[in-house]
């Protein structure tokens, strides 16, 4: 793989990004590697100086290690003797040049993107499960749990970001194409748009699942308007748009979709009884709950409009994932599979056994009720989870283990106070990725907003002990919800991913200790 200096200049000029360039006569002009990290350089590398944490010494290091050209928003003396491309926005430049360097892998993939405050990972896994039926397991995945770029074990790896840096994304897409993958399902976070990680990328299908306030605070979005604006970009950049008509801010979402997409290629879905008198476009797909228990979720999908009836996906579906919110996620994913060419039988077979690490993993204990490990970690998902449990078990005692992360998403803390007050009988406030903040202060902040006449609180910063105490106190008919970390096997503490056994492992161990049982969590 390579890219010439001239090509870089042309691309940057075409997008009005180039401010100035300095070309060295004696230096090679063919770049054979790209990087934004001075610790990862090869001969003739094109190096991007980007990010709040960038230091000019990284450029010196990159040059010493073989970088011959740098892209930056200002010239650096440390880059003397290298080609220099000085640009208006280095993150946009990196996305465009990376796509070109990796020979536009998106052109060889059917690319589907999900955005939404909640349900991205779940919907992405559902869709991958179905597409794999059709293409023989050749669906690549970019998600906040795992990235999968091929069929061999070494082609699956844990992701550190939900949506990777543009350079990493295009490299992974190239790897997927070279490994014979035909489809890519990806989660696109609001940060991905804010940081131009997907700049210039167009999706075959783009989904807007829902939006509620989240990710607002230092290092993320300054306010809700910015969060919404970033998420709306997915609609602007999708050839076909699929929108949850029940989402807050529906009008803005639909309007964003119509800026670049004919209404014939915009599809809406909603639950059976949803009505919005102000809506002047028809709902294309409806879903209706069937009988549901703690093992499975069953629902029916109706193709309601003429446009929808062209897709043969009408019918009954069963999910192994519980939680009524998964009917909405499942519906979205099935519409995606239908638009990609699948029929009801293929979809039903593909989605039937999909499970997702750390999402709604449940265990029925003998003496301590039902224990659920789930990734719910903001107000909307906590509300959805606890209201589902309340309705399933006709007002059980709900015991929750939860904490809020440090350094980000500060808006989640009052959201936890509110949702715990609304539904929980007992809360163990504990540690969840405190970063550079004091976990005790985070817990006290959540506690200060809880109405203690409704929800009793214990602050127990040792997460393993909190899980133990929650399960130990639960009676036969109670529900224990261990929230926020899912299958994460680390705690982010002061910039370091500190090993942690994972909530599933801890809960399993506690149940085994208490009941001597050797079963494993479902899913
Ligand atoms: C605000 C933001 O988007 N930050 C991301 C960004 O950081 P940055 O560009 O400022 O880079 P930096 O880490 O300060 O480092 C500066 C540069 O120096 C380079 N460097 C560093 C050290 C060295 O020796 N040599 C060297 O060259 C680094 O490679 C980097 O290019 O680029 C880094 C990778 O290059 C990311 O790890 C980092 O994500 C931060 C840590 C993060 O966690 N972001 C969260 C908010 C996020 O993006 N979350 C969303 C999910 C949200 C949701 O759930 O919906 C996501 O998509 O994951
Ligand atoms: N459609 C939904 N509405 C409300 N809550 C949901 C929905 N789907 C999932 N959840 C809840 O949110 C949790 C996270 O789900 P999921 O990982 O699919 O979302 P996500 O959008 O990828 O989240 P994140 O951006 O935080 O990684 C689930 O464990 C569940 O508790």
């Amino acid at each position: 793989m390579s890219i010439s200096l001239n090509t870089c200049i042309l691309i940057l000029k075409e997008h009005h990004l180039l401010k100035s360039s300095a070309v060295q006569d004696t230096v090679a002009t063919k770049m054979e590697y790209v990087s934004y990290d001075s610790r990862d350089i090869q001969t003739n590398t094109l190096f991007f100086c980007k990010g709040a944490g960038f230091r000019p010494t990284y450029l010196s290091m990159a040059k010493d290690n073989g970088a011959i050209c740098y892209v930056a928003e200002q010239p650096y003396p440390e880059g003397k003797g290298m080609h220099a491309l000085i640009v208006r926005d280095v993150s946009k430049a990196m996305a465009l040049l990376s796509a070109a360097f990796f020979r536009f892998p998106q052109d060889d993939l059917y690319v589907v993107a999900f955005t939404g405050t909640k349900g991205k990972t779940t919907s992405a896994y559902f869709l991958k499960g179905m597409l794999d039926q059709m293409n023989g397991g050749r669906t690549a995945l970019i998600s906040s749990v795992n990235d999968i770029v091929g069929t061999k074990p070494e082609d699956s790896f844990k992701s550190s970001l939900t949506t990777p840096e543009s350079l990493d994304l295009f490299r992974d897409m190239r790897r997927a194409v070279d490994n014979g993958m035909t489809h890519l399902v990806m989660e696109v976070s609001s940060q991905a748009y804010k940081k131009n990680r997907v700049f210039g990328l167009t999706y075959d299908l783009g989904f807007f699942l829902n939006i509620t306030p989240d990710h607002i605070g230092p290092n993320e979005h300054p306010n809700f308007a910015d969060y919404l604006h970033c998420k709306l970009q997915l609609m602007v950049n999708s050839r076909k748009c699929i929108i949850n008509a029940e989402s807050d801010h529906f009008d803005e979402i639909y309007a964003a979709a119509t800026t670049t997409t004919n209404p014939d290629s915009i599809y809406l879905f909603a639950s059976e009884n949803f009505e919005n008198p102000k809506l002047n476009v028809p709902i294309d797909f409806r879903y209706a709950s069937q009988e549901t228990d703690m093992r499975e979720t069953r629902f029916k999908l109706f193709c309601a409009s003429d446009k929808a009836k062209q897709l043969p996906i009408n019918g009954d579906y069963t999910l192994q994932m519980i939680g009524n919110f998964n009917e909405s996620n499942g519906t979205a994913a099935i519409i995606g599979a239908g638009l990609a060419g699948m029929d009801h039988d293929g979809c039903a077979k593909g989605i039937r056994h999909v499970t997702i690490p750390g999402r709604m993993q449940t265990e029925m204990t003998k003496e301590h009720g039902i224990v659920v490990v789930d990734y719910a970690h903001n107000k909307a998902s906590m509300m959805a989870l606890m209201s589902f449990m309340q309705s399933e078990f006709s007002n059980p005692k709900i015991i929750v283990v939860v904490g809020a992360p440090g350094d980000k998403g500060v808006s989640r803390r009052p959201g936890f106070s509110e949702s715990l007050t609304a539904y929980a009988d007992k809360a163990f406030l504990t540690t969840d990725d405190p970063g550079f903040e004091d976990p005790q202060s985070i817990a006290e902040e959540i506690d200060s907003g809880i109405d203690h006449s409704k929800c009793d609180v214990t602050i127990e910063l040792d997460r393993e002990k909190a899980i133990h105490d929650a399960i130990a106190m639960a009676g036969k008919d109670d529900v224990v919800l261990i929230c926020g970390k899912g299958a994460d096997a680390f705690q982010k503490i002061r910039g370091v991913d500190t090993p942690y056994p994972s909530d599933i492992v801890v809960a399993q161990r506690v149940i085994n200790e208490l009941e001597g049982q050797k079963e494993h969590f479902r899913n």
Side-chain angles (χ1 to χ4, degrees):
M1 222 92 48
S2 68
I3 190 167
S4 75
L5 186 60
N6 267 345
T7 302
C8 294
I9 290 173
L10 269 175
I11 292 171
L12 295 173
K13 277 189 178 165
E14 174 67 21
H15 290 84
H16 310 288
L17 284 171
L18 193 64
K19 283 205 284 198
S20 65
S21 57
V23 176
Q24 308 296 332
D25 292 339
T26 53
V27 176
T29 55
K30 187 170 152 194
M31 269 80 75
E32 290 161 307
Y33 195 69
V34 282
S35 177
Y36 56 79
D37 189 336
S38 61
R39 295 159 293 190
D40 174 30
I41 301 289
Q42 296 186 8
T43 308
N44 296 343
T45 289
L46 171 61
F47 183 70
F48 296 93
C49 306
K50 71 98 188 157
F54 175 76
R55 303 284 171 268
T57 49
Y58 300 155
L59 179 56
S60 306
M61 205 194 300
K63 181 176 145 189
D64 292 347
N65 291 341
I68 54 170
C69 178
Y70 73 95
V71 182
E73 289 173 9
Q74 62 177 81
Y76 288 104
E78 289 77 1
K80 193 160 180 271
M82 300 170 76
H83 304 301
L85 299 173
I86 310 306
V87 295
R88 293 198 164 78
D89 186 322
V90 69
S91 59
K92 289 182 179 172
M94 186 162 83
L96 295 169
L97 298 182
S98 299
F101 180 84
F102 290 107
R103 290 189 278 111
F104 308 104
Q106 67 272 35
D107 294 350
D108 294 319
L109 291 165
Y110 187 90
V111 184
V112 184
F114 287 96
T115 202
T117 304
K118 283 291 141 231
K120 299 182 293 295
T121 307
T122 309
S123 306
Y125 269 79
F126 281 156
L127 181 55
K128 174 173 163 57
M130 289 183 280
L131 294 175
D132 278 347
Q133 281 287 323
M134 179 174 76
N135 62 25
R138 304 210 164 262
T139 313
L141 178 74
I142 303 278
S143 81
S144 54
V145 178
N146 270 336
D147 292 344
I148 301 173
V149 297
T151 49
K152 300 197 200 85
E154 62 270 27
D155 297 324
S156 293
F157 40 91
K158 178 91 195 76
S159 48
S160 58
L161 292 171
T162 300
T163 313
E165 277 296 351
S166 57
L167 188 153
D168 301 318
L169 174 64
F170 287 109
R171 187 198 51 226
D172 291 347
M173 286 164 89
R174 167 49 56 200
R175 222 175 123 185
V177 171
D178 291 349
N179 282 333
M181 308 306 260
T182 54
H183 294 70
L184 167 66
V185 179
M186 61 186 290
E187 290 182 49
V188 178
S189 64
S190 52
Q191 280 297 312
Y193 273 108
K194 188 151 185 74
K195 296 283 172 180
N196 293 310
R197 294 179 196 154
V198 287
F199 184 73
L201 186 59
T202 304
Y203 316 97
D204 293 286
L205 307 179
F207 287 79
F208 203 110
L209 300 175
N210 50 59
I211 186 154
T212 52
D214 200 5
H215 297 294
I216 296 159
N219 307 324
E220 293 188 278
H221 298 279
N223 49 46
F224 181 78
D226 188 65
Y227 177 53
L228 174 63
H229 171 79
C230 288
K231 281 213 176 298
L232 291 179
Q233 301 314 302
L234 186 90
M235 296 288 91
V236 177
N237 289 287
S238 297
R239 294 188 187 96
K240 288 184 181 164
C241 299
I242 303 91
I243 305 171
N244 179 359
E246 296 186 57
S247 179
D248 289 353
H249 297 272
F250 173 79
D251 291 348
E252 286 119 300
I253 302 164
Y254 191 80
T258 55
T259 55
T260 51
T261 303
N262 186 311
D264 288 348
S265 295
I266 302 175
Y267 296 82
L268 308 186
F269 68 94
S271 57
E272 181 183 33
N273 298 321
F274 173 74
E275 290 303 336
N276 177 356
K278 287 200 222 132
L279 202 72
N280 53 13
V281 275
I283 306 252
D284 300 291
F285 301 93
R286 297 272 186 179
Y287 61 92
S289 295
Q290 306 290 94
E291 198 189 332
T292 291
D293 56 29
M294 287 308 293
R295 303 230 150 251
E296 306 186 319
T297 301
R298 286 187 285 281
F299 67 98
K300 203 179 253 306
L301 191 147
F302 304 96
C303 297
S305 68
D306 289 345
K307 185 167 74 183
K309 283 180 184 141
Q310 290 170 18
L311 305 186
I313 55 174
N314 218 56
D316 293 334
Y317 290 93
T318 304
L319 309 175
Q320 199 171 317
M321 297 278 298
I322 59 164
N324 47 1
F325 41 83
N326 281 322
E327 294 171 5
S328 170
N329 298 331
T331 296
I334 292 163
I335 297 167
L339 289 167
M342 293 186 72
D343 64 11
H344 168 270
D345 292 356
C347 290
K349 197 167 167 208
I351 203 167
R352 175 78 181 82
H353 299 291
V354 174
T355 58
I356 302 141
R359 270 73 176 165
M360 298 304 282
Q361 292 198 245
T362 59
E363 179 150 342
M364 306 280 192
T365 70
K366 286 190 215 114
E367 301 296 332
H368 298 275
I370 177 164
V371 179
V372 180
V373 172
D374 185 53
Y375 200 54
H377 59 245
N378 71 352
K379 181 179 154 188
S381 53
M382 293 289 289
M383 288 281 197
L385 174 63
M386 288 190 281
S387 70
F388 170 69
M389 287 297 164
Q390 199 176 58
S391 63
E392 281 305 300
F393 289 92
S394 48
N395 288 323
K397 181 166 165 191
I398 297 184
I399 303 166
V400 181
V401 178
V402 73
D407 311 328
K408 64 173 187 177
V410 286
S411 64
R412 286 180 185 162
R413 297 172 198 177
F416 285 144
S417 313
E418 210 181 308
S419 53
L420 290 168
T421 299
Y423 289 103
D425 298 279
K426 171 82 193 177
F428 286 86
L429 299 179
T430 190
T431 306
D432 180 347
D433 292 343
F436 289 90
E437 286 194 61
D438 173 15
Q440 176 76 26
S441 314
I442 298 175
E444 283 170 9
E445 197 178 326
I446 300 170
D447 185 43
S448 68
I450 294 178
D451 177 345
H452 294 110
S453 69
K454 300 205 167 111
C455 174
D456 181 54
V457 175
T458 298
I459 296 181
E460 174 50 72
L461 298 182
D462 177 344
R463 195 171 174 100
E464 295 187 44
K465 182 163 181 339
I467 293 172
H468 174 277
D469 292 353
I471 299 176
M473 76 172 281
K476 253 192 169 80
D477 299 323
D478 296 347
V479 167
V480 180
L481 303 175
I482 304 167
C483 298
K485 285 202 77 63
D488 288 356
F490 57 82
Q491 289 269 15
K492 287 184 188 291
I493 301 172
R494 303 201 154 273
V496 178
D497 281 357
T498 312
Y500 166 72
S502 92
D503 285 353
I504 295 163
V505 170
V506 174
Q508 191 70 64
R509 195 181 62 213
V510 171
I511 295 167
N512 291 349
E513 272 166 26
L514 292 171
E515 304 201 334
Q517 121 185 3
K518 292 277 175 285
E519 282 170 32
H520 291 288
F521 265 78
R522 267 183 14 91
N523 140 13

